[in-house]
Structure formats: C-alpha cells, structure tokens
Amino acid sequence: TACSSKYVLSHMHPMWQEPLAIPGGDRQSPIDIVVRKSLFDPHLKPLVPAYDPQTCQQIWNNGYSFLVEYDDTTDKSTLKGGPLEDQFRLCQFHFHWGESNAWGSEHTVDRKLFPAELHIVHWNTEKYDLFEEAVMEENGLAVIGVFLKIGKRHEGLQKLVDALPAVRHKDSTVDFERFDPACLLPSNINDYWTYHGSLTTPPLTEAVTWIVMKQHIEVSHDQLAVFRSLLFTSAEEEVQKGMVNNFRVQQPLRGRPIRSSFS
Ligand SMILES: COc1ccc(C[C@H]2SC(=S)NC2=O)c(OC)c1
Ligand SMILES: [Zn+2]
C-alpha cells in the first residue's frame, strides 16, 4: 500500500543516525507526557475508529519494525473525531519495543517507560491524494499510540504473533487477512493525550497529530518475546541482528501544548 512504499524502505534502517539538524525541528516526537502540564480540552470529541478487517493485506518486516499493512485505496477503514478536523484513512500499524521489559516505548508518561508501544497510522484523505504527500505536510497524518504492559495474554494479538516467524528477516512479507486493529485498542479510548509532532524515524517530518491512549493494553511475556525473535537483518547478511530497541530517543517539547480529553 502507499504507506509502505519503497520510500519507507529506503528511509528505514536499524539504528539510523539522528540527523544533526531537522527542518523546523521544534515539533519532534517522541516526547515525555508530563501529566500535570497537560491541559484538559472539553472541546475534544470522542475518537471514531471504523476499521474493516477485510482491508488487511500483509505483514512486512522493513528492517526497523514489522508493519501490518492495509489497503488504503478506499475509505473502508477510517479514523475521525477526537482532535481531528478531517477524515483519515488507516494504512498500517507497527510496534516499538525493547530488548527487556524495562523499556521499549517511544513516548513516556511522567517518565514512565513501557515495554512496547503500538502505532496505528492514518493519513488525511480530505486534504491529500497520496500517503506520500500527507507524510510531508502538517496535519497529514494521525497516529494512535497505545502502551503495552506485560500481563495476561492478548487473545487478539496471538494471530499476529503466530505469523511473525514468517517475516523473521528484513524485506520479508507474508499475506495476512482479516485482522481488526480495533482489537488492539484499550477498552476506554475516550481518555487520551494529543499533541502535534513528527514521524519517529526518517524523514522525521512534522506531519503527525498524535493521539496517545491513557489506558494501556496487556500482552504476555511470551507474546512480546516473539517480537524480539525478529531480525533487523536480511537473510543474506552474515551477521544477524535481533530486532530490539527500535525506538527513537525523546525530543524537546519546545513549549508545545499537550491536551487531554479527560480531566
Ligand atoms: C515515509 O513515511 C514514513 C516513514 C516511516 C514511518 C514509520 C515511523 S513514523 C512512526 S509514527 N513510527 C515509525 O516507526 C512512517 O509511519 C507513518 C511513515
Ligand atoms: Zn512508530
């Protein structure tokens, strides 16, 4: 799909170097969410995800994470409401995780680290015709962030976990059908923080309206261990590197407001 274009592949590589200067650079992600500095905004609406599991296409190991990719050529799977003015189209979801359960998330809450973080990526189809356009523009993307904690097994995630060995190496893909990303959302999606930020990998463009869920989801230790069995490296490479710690260092807030949908 557009959102997993070769452009992404060419710009995604493990442990990429942080650029010295970023265009603009005052709206970078991820950040620490300081709860007492967030501002309750009563005008924030409930979030309305409407996903059609039939749009699920494949899983792709792109050498940085694994992406579950959706057909984004129609408006069958959309996100609207919350802080969003426009309608956005689901294109992929992926995760970030650590080598240990002590860290792995990109965002933190009052400096609290989570073992992993889910990103559900959508692009603005009211303002742009292509994902590649949206990714370069302010309000081009909306990403839902969900923290993962180690606890009981996540039944909905298991279908994805079982498919991961088929995409162990970079550049591998496997067909994957009828997966509803809504099953990975917490029970309460009305409580979230929202702020304007960026992609957390190159091109690091400041195109993202972030919607970070207050409530986490639980996955089992064994389920997260399968994420860590993936590799950054392709089958041809002599030295295989485990896909872990694929998160970006935190970025300065630069005075940005963080709004909360709850008081
Ligand atoms: C060229 O367009 C891109 C490139 C990379 C990513 C993935 C990054 S950005 C994020 S959020 N988390 C990640 O790992 C994109 O996702 C929207 C879009
Ligand atoms: Zn991400």
Side-chain angles (χ1 to χ4, degrees):
T1 56
C3 72
S4 60
S5 67
K6 290 302 156 227
Y7 177 82
V8 176
L9 183 62
S10 64
H11 281 77
M12 303 276 281
H13 36 270
M15 274 74 91
W16 42 273
Q17 293 305 312
E18 283 282 345
L20 297 174
I22 293 150
D26 52 2
R27 287 185 27 178
Q28 290 292 294
S29 295
I31 60 168
D32 176 44
I33 295 168
V34 181
V35 176
R36 73 186 180 291
K37 290 193 177 166
S38 63
L39 195 67
F40 170 56
D41 180 349
H43 300 104
L44 285 171
K45 300 184 184 63
L47 210 51
V48 185
Y51 301 140
D52 176 353
Q54 303 281 355
T55 58
C56 190
Q57 290 184 318
Q58 69 269 339
I59 307 172
W60 174 36
N61 177 335
N62 66 5
Y64 187 71
S65 183
F66 63 91
L67 313 183
V68 179
E69 300 165 299
Y70 287 76
D71 170 17
D72 60 354
T73 57
T74 76
D75 270 337
K76 281 186 187 156
S77 292
T78 59
L79 176 69
K80 58 186 192 296
L84 307 173
E85 302 289 317
D86 299 321
Q87 178 167 286
F88 289 68
R89 202 177 279 178
L90 170 69
C91 65
Q92 52 107 326
F93 70 81
H94 62 272
F95 298 82
H96 302 264
W97 59 92
E99 63 193 281
S100 99
N101 291 333
W103 64 82
S105 62
E106 296 212 301
H107 291 90
T108 50
V109 179
D110 289 343
R111 294 278 164 220
K112 176 186 170 52
L113 287 156
F114 292 84
E117 183 174 333
L118 160 65
H119 289 160
I120 309 177
V121 179
H122 315 75
W123 59 279
N124 189 328
T125 50
E126 287 190 30
K127 288 206 166 52
Y128 307 108
D129 299 325
L130 288 171
F131 173 81
E132 282 81 357
E133 265 180 76
V135 87
M136 305 308 285
E137 303 295 333
E138 194 172 354
N139 68 36
L141 300 182
V143 181
I144 296 175
V146 182
F147 295 115
L148 276 62
K149 272 181 94 169
I150 302 298
K152 66 182 187 315
R153 181 180 138 111
H154 192 296
E155 292 310 326
L157 184 70
Q158 195 52 38
K159 180 182 170 188
L160 176 50
V161 167
D162 289 337
L164 292 183
V167 289
R168 190 150 187 266
H169 287 101
K170 174 181 174 186
D171 303 339
S172 51
T173 62
V174 67
D175 286 345
F176 195 60
E177 297 181 337
R178 285 183 304 284
F179 187 86
D180 181 359
C183 84
L184 297 175
L185 293 173
S187 50
N188 171 11
I189 62 167
N190 289 328
D191 291 359
Y192 57 82
W193 294 282
T194 182
Y195 78 99
H196 289 289
S198 74
L199 302 190
T200 62
T201 68
L204 301 171
T205 42
E206 296 176 339
V208 181
T209 297
W210 278 97
I211 301 164
V212 179
M213 291 292 145
K214 179 187 179 194
Q215 193 178 50
H216 62 268
I217 60 170
E218 279 191 19
V219 304
S220 71
H221 177 279
D222 291 354
Q223 288 179 314
L224 199 53
V226 178
F227 284 23
R228 300 190 185 104
S229 73
L230 296 175
L231 300 168
F232 279 134
T233 43
S234 56
E236 298 72 46
E237 293 176 67
E238 310 74 57
V239 179
Q240 297 295 332
K241 287 181 217 138
M243 185 179 276
V244 293
N245 301 329
N246 54 357
F247 50 84
R248 187 189 189 192
V249 295
Q250 294 203 330
Q251 303 297 309
L253 186 61
R254 291 271 187 276
R256 284 173 279 177
I258 301 175
R259 292 180 289 160
S260 64
S261 66
F262 58 97
S263 52

